[in-house]
Amino acid sequence: MSWWQRLASLAKIVFWLVLCGVILQQVYGANRPETARNAVLDRFQQERKSRVIALINRQDTVTLFGVPVSSSISIEDSEAVLRAIRLTPENQPIDVILHTPGGLVLAAEQIAKALVLRRAKVTAFVPHYAMSGGSLIALAADEIVMDPNAVLGPMDPQIGDMPAASIVKILSLKRPADIDDETLILADVAAKARLQVGVFVTEVLLKHMPRAKAVALATALTEGRWTHDFPITVEMARQLGLPISTGMPRTVYELMDLYPQGGRGRPSVLYVPLRPSMPERGQSAPSPPVKDGPAAR
């Protein structure tokens, strides 16, 4: 066999070894972050004696070539969150960790409605930001725990990539005869969207405050008073009458560290099964049984 034939055979071997290595990394390497996240979630559940649900939308990389995409609250997310809520006993508190730019209104409303109906305490943790639909979900909680520098956002509906409030405003700036039919239709849809979202947010807020205050706050958050990315800080949220605290547990930050920007693909919603022997809040976890026999090495 000539030297170039040997070189070609060696190149083939190297190629297949590299290909196998890449495949193994994709199969087994992608599971390591998820395993670590599940471990942190389980530890946080034991600390809080609650069901912990993480709704975290990050920019992520997908496919073998790592194409970055941004994620937001979707129907798939609402299905997963509703499933977790359904599997949680009625007397079990629920903690929701929110890190999201928002997303589909229907999905956010489904999650918020399910949390409002809970009898046990619901706590929302916002380590960085929960905008738009994320803020709507946070409003359904009995307590919102924010990092001192975290922000919420307005919930004014968007029609496509345009604010509904701005579309409606066109009707006051132009005569109907000077507005094209498509814009008139958009304005009609925008007006309906503002009304629908405003009514829904009011219903969510009625869990915590009297109707007059709920209507006033819902109007402020949904009428388009601010731009859609306006940051509602901790101080401003308190002035608006929201139940805000800033005692963020370190475990939440540990979980966020496991969601690096541009990491491999993973589901946006994670939760782990509740342990049958999980104690009630205020009780210490039972010690593991001691077994006879030689010590483990």
Side-chain angles (χ1 to χ4, degrees):
M1 182 181 294
S2 61
W3 66 270
W4 63 269
Q5 289 177 322
R6 294 177 180 175
L7 185 60
S9 299
L10 180 61
K12 290 181 180 179
I13 295 174
V14 171
F15 169 78
W16 286 110
L17 287 175
V18 171
L19 181 61
C20 291
V22 171
I23 293 174
L24 289 174
Q25 182 181 16
Q26 292 292 315
V27 173
Y28 295 103
N31 292 331
R32 282 180 291 183
E34 184 174 350
T35 301
R37 293 166 189 151
N38 287 342
V40 173
L41 284 175
D42 184 52
R43 173 156 53 89
F44 196 39
Q45 284 189 159
Q46 300 306 311
E47 293 172 358
R48 297 277 301 174
K49 310 299 183 292
S50 67
R51 158 76 79 188
V52 178
I53 304 171
L55 178 52
I56 299 175
N57 299 125
R58 276 282 207 186
Q59 184 184 69
D60 227 343
T61 56
V62 296
T63 78
L64 182 63
F65 301 101
V67 180
V69 296
S70 296
S71 59
S72 57
I73 302 173
S74 65
I75 287 296
E76 288 75 18
D77 289 339
S78 65
E79 288 177 354
V81 173
L82 294 179
R83 188 181 307 116
I85 294 173
R86 187 169 59 250
L87 294 173
T88 306
E90 279 295 324
N91 60 347
Q92 186 78 45
I94 287 182
D95 296 328
V96 183
I97 302 174
L98 295 169
H99 178 82
T100 176
L104 193 64
V105 173
L106 173 60
E109 288 183 346
Q110 285 183 299
I111 296 171
K113 184 66 173 179
L115 293 176
V116 165
L117 294 176
R118 294 289 301 181
R119 296 179 182 176
K121 183 179 180 180
V122 176
T123 305
F125 293 90
V126 183
H128 184 59
Y129 77 149
M131 307 297 285
S132 189
S135 295
L136 175 56
I137 295 171
L139 291 184
D142 300 290
E143 179 185 8
I144 304 173
V145 182
M146 298 174 63
D147 180 90
N149 298 306
V151 295
L152 303 175
M155 285 145 273
D156 54 307
Q158 309 292 295
I159 308 299
D161 58 352
M162 296 179 291
S166 298
I167 298 174
V168 172
K169 191 174 182 179
I170 294 176
L171 300 179
S172 64
L173 299 176
K174 287 185 175 183
R175 297 180 304 169
D178 297 330
I179 305 174
D180 62 90
D181 292 346
E182 183 177 354
T183 303
L184 289 173
I185 294 172
L186 283 176
D188 179 61
V189 173
K192 293 175 181 176
R194 291 177 71 192
L195 178 60
Q196 290 168 187
V197 174
V199 170
F200 185 86
V201 173
T202 299
E203 292 177 353
V204 170
L205 292 172
L206 286 175
K207 179 181 181 182
H208 313 297
M209 57 186 65
R211 177 169 291 276
K213 188 175 181 180
V215 170
L217 180 53
T219 301
L221 293 173
T222 64
E223 68 178 358
R225 179 177 304 183
W226 307 291
T227 60
H228 196 56
D229 61 349
F230 177 79
I232 299 176
T233 62
V234 170
E235 294 76 14
M236 184 176 181
R238 284 173 173 165
Q239 292 174 4
L240 291 172
L242 296 178
I244 305 294
S245 64
T246 54
M248 184 69 64
R250 176 157 294 278
T251 308
V252 175
Y253 296 119
E254 292 178 17
L255 180 65
M256 291 303 301
D257 289 340
L258 297 173
Y259 286 85
Q261 196 79 345
R264 288 188 174 83
R266 43 74 190 152
S268 295
V269 178
L270 293 176
Y271 59 91
V272 294
L274 293 171
R275 296 184 181 179
S277 59
M278 181 181 292
E280 296 294 330
R281 278 194 174 184
Q283 298 179 353
S284 59
S287 302
V290 179
K291 297 181 179 180
D292 295 331
R297 295 183 179 180

